[in-house]
Amino acid sequence: AGDDGRATEESRVALWLLGVSVAVLLIACANVTNLLLARGARSRNETAIRLALGVSRGRLMGQAIVQTILLALAGGLIAVLTASGIREFIQPTLLPEVHFPGSGVDARVAGFAVGVSLVAGVLAGVGPALQSAGSRVAEDLKAGRRLSPVRSRAARGLAVFQGALAVVLL
């Protein structure tokens, strides 16, 4: 804000960039969650075989969540590296009159990105983990039926959410 308390042009641009960044982040999270749900539906046969061999549902859920957390941490690391590199482009191009102290991404920002990545990984991993571990696929395999991937309401809802946010961004 300026000296008179009103928002400056730079603060409006910064808020606009923040809003666009959050919308893109939400679209990406919905996309990854939808991909994980599709992967879980596709691997139902593998899950059923593991359950039939005696692997516990808790262990299957834990494995799915760990895989998702590792994926999210990799995404967080890429985000921090991208943020430190793109700052050199955005600041002189969009906000040339604003001086940003510091040389880039500091430890607090990197820690926040890692924390958000962990939370996103857990939240994105719980749905597919519950879907794969909570199914009654072992009985279907014993009966000799061929399993086909099922498009869930959650997957359709995430696709609608992505489309709606994309329209808002356009």
Side-chain angles (χ1 to χ4, degrees):
D3 294 335
D4 58 356
R6 294 187 331 185
T8 63
E9 184 66 28
E10 290 84 11
S11 66
R12 285 192 290 268
V13 169
L15 283 174
W16 180 80
L17 284 173
L18 176 67
V20 168
S21 300
V22 167
V24 169
L25 177 65
L26 288 173
I27 289 171
C29 287
N31 191 18
V32 169
T33 303
N34 212 352
L35 290 171
L36 290 170
L37 284 170
R39 183 176 142 237
R42 216 177 39 246
S43 65
R44 288 177 67 194
N45 287 341
E46 176 188 342
T47 301
I49 291 170
R50 287 181 179 195
L51 288 171
L53 290 174
V55 176
S56 71
R57 292 183 187 276
R59 185 169 181 157
L60 285 176
M61 287 179 60
Q63 180 184 6
I65 291 173
V66 165
Q67 287 174 351
T68 308
I69 288 173
L70 290 175
L71 178 67
L73 285 176
L77 178 63
I78 291 171
V80 169
L81 294 174
T82 301
S84 63
I86 204 165
R87 179 182 185 265
E88 308 305 322
F89 168 75
I90 287 181
Q91 194 273 329
T93 305
L94 297 176
L95 302 168
E97 292 86 23
V98 178
H99 172 69
F100 290 104
S103 61
V105 178
D106 63 354
R108 291 178 299 165
V109 172
F112 179 77
V114 168
V116 168
S117 296
L118 284 172
V119 170
V122 169
L123 291 177
V126 166
L130 288 174
Q131 178 190 29
S132 67
S135 63
R136 295 175 26 186
V137 184
E139 291 82 13
D140 289 340
L141 279 180
K142 288 178 189 175
R145 291 183 223 134
R146 173 82 176 126
L147 296 175
S148 62
V150 179
R151 186 129 173 108
S152 67
R153 275 190 237 152
R156 287 190 298 268
L158 286 170
V160 168
F161 178 71
Q162 285 176 278
L165 276 178
V167 168
V168 167
L169 282 178
L170 287 175

